[in-house]
Amino acid sequence: MNFTFHQLTVFVEIVEKKSITKAASSLNLTQPAVSIQLKNFQDQFDLPLTEVVARKLYITDFGTEVYAIARSILQEASSIEHKLAERRGVLSGTLSISSVSTGKYVLPYFLREFLQQHPAVDLSLDVTNRDRVIQNLKNNEVDFSFVSILPTGIPLHEETLIANKLHLIGSQDAKYPSTHLQKKNFFKNLPLIFREEGSGTRITMQRYFTRERIEPRVRLQLTSNEAVKQAVIAGLGFSVISVLSLKNELQNNDVRIIPVKGFPIVSAWRLIWLRNKKLSGVASAYLEFIRAHKKTISRDYFSWAEKY
Ligand code: PGA
């Protein structure tokens, strides 16, 4: 065996990205350079690591086993660097968080100063769909998850960061039965845009309709907040969305909040972690930072949202 760290890094990236082109781009290498590294790595084994079927790259069972070992070798290697930094009294390590998609409008502001104060801390932030976030949490793959709706059946700790207000929004010139704002039949025939199945925003919206015994008219289902906003702005329908994701659209008067009964629906953005989890030094330091600074951060970055 005569492989290099570089080959391990390249191989891990290829497996995670499931593509040589994507691995090349995330490693800032050319595609031929990545292919050569893969070939040199492969040459050291009698069994194939990958195979190409119909121009698609697949990882063999053997490749998957090698991947798991390569990944843990790389993690161990990076923990050597972190140990060294610890000895020098520097907070070092990786802070890993997986966040539901709407969290991208909120969480970066609660990370900024912490990362500035601790330049030796690496951040691994995955903004993804809610099912995956809960899976990451259950599998103990992250320090924290960032959600507004708590998953059920998992023993958790939580730290609330800021209120999450969801409003019904429409385009500036949207027509709606303004005399029925306080009535249940306001929603009759109102074209609604829903987020995808499993989204926290959608769960909140559905709970509201179930509670109010309203049969919503779903015109469209879209997989991101940005897609929902564009569809609302274009006048395709109305939707329910977190006000924290609407800063620009409200300032530019692209959308308007419809003051219908029962809204805003208020929940909270929170960091959650497994109850029996032993937090790493970096994760504990981050939690301490959040407890000490969350009020100031909310005031500095989100006071614009208070009036809605
Ligand atoms: P979502 O989650 O981005 O998946 O809709 C938002 C939330 O949990 O409130």
Side-chain angles (χ1 to χ4, degrees):
M1 292 285 146
N2 201 13
F3 47 76
T4 63
F5 266 114
H6 188 48
Q7 286 168 0
L8 294 181
T9 308
V10 169
F11 182 63
V12 163
E13 203 63 23
I14 291 171
V15 176
E16 291 183 350
K17 297 284 183 302
K18 297 187 182 69
S19 140
I20 290 185
T21 316
K22 286 184 189 154
S25 125
S26 81
L27 291 166
N28 279 328
L29 293 171
T30 63
Q31 202 174 318
V34 168
S35 299
I36 289 168
Q37 291 301 331
L38 177 61
K39 179 175 180 311
N40 291 345
F41 190 48
Q42 173 66 75
D43 284 349
Q44 303 178 58
F45 305 101
D46 293 339
L47 295 172
L49 296 163
T50 58
E51 56 192 8
V52 177
V53 180
R55 305 185 65 192
K56 199 167 174 325
L57 183 79
Y58 292 90
I59 312 300
T60 61
D61 287 348
F62 176 62
T64 307
E65 284 171 23
V66 171
Y67 160 75
I69 300 167
R71 192 163 174 261
S72 77
I73 293 173
L74 294 174
Q75 277 169 350
E76 290 293 318
S78 89
S79 68
I80 294 178
E81 283 173 22
H82 294 316
K83 280 276 168 262
L84 186 66
E86 262 172 38
R87 290 264 167 169
R88 294 188 179 130
V90 176
L91 184 68
S92 169
T94 302
L95 175 65
S96 64
I97 306 182
S98 91
S99 166
V100 294
S101 62
T102 311
K104 67 173 173 278
Y105 302 99
V106 184
L107 189 57
Y109 297 94
F110 287 89
L111 285 163
R112 195 186 123 116
E113 266 176 73
F114 179 76
L115 295 174
Q116 276 170 358
Q117 283 170 16
H118 304 291
V121 170
D122 296 325
L123 173 68
S124 159
L125 174 61
D126 191 14
V127 177
T128 183
N129 67 45
R130 193 168 182 278
D131 289 343
R132 175 96 186 271
V133 170
I134 307 303
Q135 215 45 50
N136 287 153
L137 182 78
K138 276 192 190 159
N139 297 347
N140 196 20
E141 290 163 348
V142 288
D143 295 314
F144 301 106
S145 289
F146 190 60
V147 298
S148 80
I149 299 179
L150 290 174
T152 50
I154 312 175
L156 294 171
H157 287 299
E158 62 169 298
E159 181 68 27
T160 300
L161 301 197
I162 187 170
N164 185 30
K165 285 187 260 177
L166 286 95
H167 276 285
L168 179 73
I169 58 160
S171 66
Q172 264 313 325
D173 57 0
K175 304 265 179 302
Y176 58 89
S178 51
T179 49
H180 289 53
L181 285 167
Q182 296 303 312
K183 300 190 185 140
K184 212 153 119 171
N185 63 1
F186 173 83
F187 283 98
K188 201 170 169 210
N189 293 327
L190 197 79
L192 285 167
I193 302 167
F194 269 49
R195 282 277 307 280
E196 77 283 4
E197 195 76 53
S199 127
T201 308
R202 180 182 173 126
I203 294 171
T204 307
M205 224 166 145
Q206 272 172 332
R207 281 184 188 162
Y208 170 82
F209 290 124
T210 309
R211 202 173 51 239
E212 297 293 323
R213 297 207 175 86
I214 293 169
E215 189 90 24
R217 178 182 154 214
V218 185
R219 167 173 275 180
L220 201 59
Q221 177 179 306
L222 295 167
T223 310
S224 78
N225 282 306
E226 291 305 314
V228 169
K229 284 194 253 177
Q230 294 310 319
V232 169
I233 293 169
L236 297 189
F238 297 77
S239 194
V240 173
I241 195 161
S242 169
V243 81
L244 295 182
S245 72
L246 287 171
K247 186 176 183 193
N248 294 338
E249 290 74 13
L250 288 166
Q251 274 173 0
N252 298 338
N253 287 324
D254 289 334
V255 297
R256 69 156 110 172
I257 289 176
I258 320 288
V260 67
K261 184 176 172 231
F263 287 86
I265 302 170
V266 184
S267 62
W269 283 108
R270 38 199 144 202
L271 285 171
I272 56 175
W273 64 103
L274 292 176
R275 193 174 297 159
N276 55 6
K277 185 167 180 64
K278 188 169 171 343
L279 292 179
S280 69
V282 169
S284 308
Y286 180 57
L287 197 56
E288 244 172 70
F289 166 86
I290 284 297
R291 287 176 175 150
H293 298 284
K294 61 184 182 181
K295 287 213 171 76
T296 328
I297 296 172
S298 301
R299 196 188 56 222
D300 290 351
Y301 297 104
F302 296 105
S303 51
W304 63 267
E306 276 162 20
K307 66 172 184 269
Y308 297 105

